[in-house]
Amino acid sequence: MQSINVLLIEDETRIREMIKDYLENEGFQVLEAENGSVGLEKFKASEISIIILDVMLPGIDGWTVCKEIRKNSNVPIIMLTARSEEYDKLFGFELGADDYLTKPFSPKELVARMKAVLKRGKEIGGIGNNPSIFEYRDLLVNLDSRKVTLSGETVAMTPKEFELLSFLVRHPEKVFTREQLLNKVWGYEFGGDYRTVDTHIKMLRESLKGYRNIIVTVWGVGYKLEVEVLK
Ligand code: CA
């Protein structure tokens, strides 16, 4: 089995050692960093599969570290925080964190979240060597020919519906805010009307018929493409 390298960025020695011991027992390789700048250095110098990132760090905080990493990497990031406000959660997702754990948590819970995050992206995958075709059960999305089929039947949709779907399909299980979708799919740098997103999500769901539930509303945050609901 290929080893999974975990980068653990946490300033509290006691918590860091507790997590490290647990993860190593579970078969993970753990690299430790006691602050954000050491974390960023280790990330650049090594092949990292997943990052566990504490929010409250001396010097550069966890949000900034997350933002830095997201500039050129999609590596899964799980944030740790002592606070549980909805604001933090939203902020973390906006910066590109994949999941979120509030202290105190059990290491068992952390491993469960890590496994879930690592599994993402494998649920919907390219067929063979063609990364342009995505399939989930009877749903086929061809990014090159911009064609969507359901059980072999072509699904008619507007170009924006297609762009929205292809964006979500390329980032399964990841929550996006309306603002992010406006930015990524419509190309608006900021602002814009969030109702545009809601309207297109509604149209896309109608087009997807029996697969409409793969687009999930995350209350207070935005939308995500969820494949688990079909299982
Ligand atoms: Ca801390």
Side-chain angles (χ1 to χ4, degrees):
M1 196 186 105
Q2 209 188 338
S3 72
I4 296 169
N5 290 331
V6 183
L7 176 59
L8 173 59
I9 310 175
E10 162 70 86
D11 59 314
E12 283 166 78
T13 314
R14 190 182 54 83
I15 296 179
R16 203 173 61 234
E17 282 174 356
M18 183 268 288
I19 296 176
K20 183 179 191 264
D21 287 350
Y22 194 90
L23 293 184
E24 285 180 345
N25 270 328
E26 292 280 313
F28 295 97
Q29 301 271 0
V30 182
L31 270 87
E32 294 172 83
E34 70 278 14
N35 63 49
S37 34
V38 171
L40 285 170
E41 274 168 33
K42 290 203 175 176
F43 177 67
K44 280 171 197 155
S46 337
E47 277 295 318
I48 301 295
S49 315
I50 184 166
I51 297 176
I52 298 163
L53 175 58
D54 188 34
V55 170
M56 304 297 272
L57 293 168
I60 315 170
D61 68 20
W63 303 129
T64 312
V65 174
C66 179
K67 215 167 136 186
E68 270 304 303
I69 289 166
R70 276 292 171 265
K71 280 183 185 167
N72 40 39
S73 170
N74 278 320
V75 66
I77 300 176
I78 298 179
M79 307 285 299
L80 305 179
T81 178
R83 295 171 295 173
S84 59
E85 289 93 322
E86 197 64 24
Y87 163 78
D88 278 351
K89 203 173 217 166
L90 179 58
F91 193 55
F93 284 135
E94 275 180 356
L95 291 180
D98 294 270
D99 207 347
Y100 190 97
L101 219 49
T102 305
K103 290 175 181 175
F105 55 85
S106 71
K108 196 179 165 193
E109 171 75 8
L110 174 64
V111 168
R113 299 285 187 96
M114 287 170 68
K115 285 181 177 166
V117 165
L118 287 165
K119 216 176 89 185
R120 287 174 196 172
K122 289 180 187 163
E123 300 290 341
I124 291 184
I127 294 175
N129 293 322
N130 192 342
S132 303
I133 301 175
F134 293 86
E135 81 169 329
Y136 187 72
R137 292 193 173 177
D138 298 333
L139 175 67
L140 223 74
V141 182
N142 187 322
L143 301 180
D144 283 339
S145 65
R146 299 175 64 93
K147 203 171 159 184
V148 180
T149 59
L150 259 178
S151 314
E153 301 256 315
T154 302
V155 180
M157 56 176 68
T158 66
K160 269 292 172 257
E161 271 178 82
F162 177 80
E163 282 160 32
L164 186 57
L165 177 63
S166 60
F167 178 78
L168 293 171
V169 147
R170 279 182 275 126
H171 305 89
E173 308 280 339
K174 187 151 180 152
V175 183
F176 292 97
T177 63
R178 290 169 177 82
E179 189 176 359
Q180 283 174 318
L181 291 171
L182 274 175
N183 186 303
K184 306 276 187 194
V185 180
W186 278 263
Y188 298 157
E189 276 307 312
F190 51 86
D193 190 342
Y194 295 168
R195 280 173 301 183
T196 305
V197 177
D198 295 334
T199 306
H200 281 83
I201 290 279
K202 192 169 170 248
M203 285 159 62
L204 182 56
R205 280 176 174 151
E206 279 164 18
S207 302
L208 291 174
K209 300 185 179 96
Y211 284 73
R212 58 183 301 126
N213 291 339
I214 64 171
I215 298 170
V216 173
T217 304
V218 181
W219 294 109
V221 186
Y223 297 103
K224 69 171 175 174
L225 186 119
E226 169 100 71
V227 291
E228 296 287 329
V229 290
L230 292 171
K231 285 182 180 164

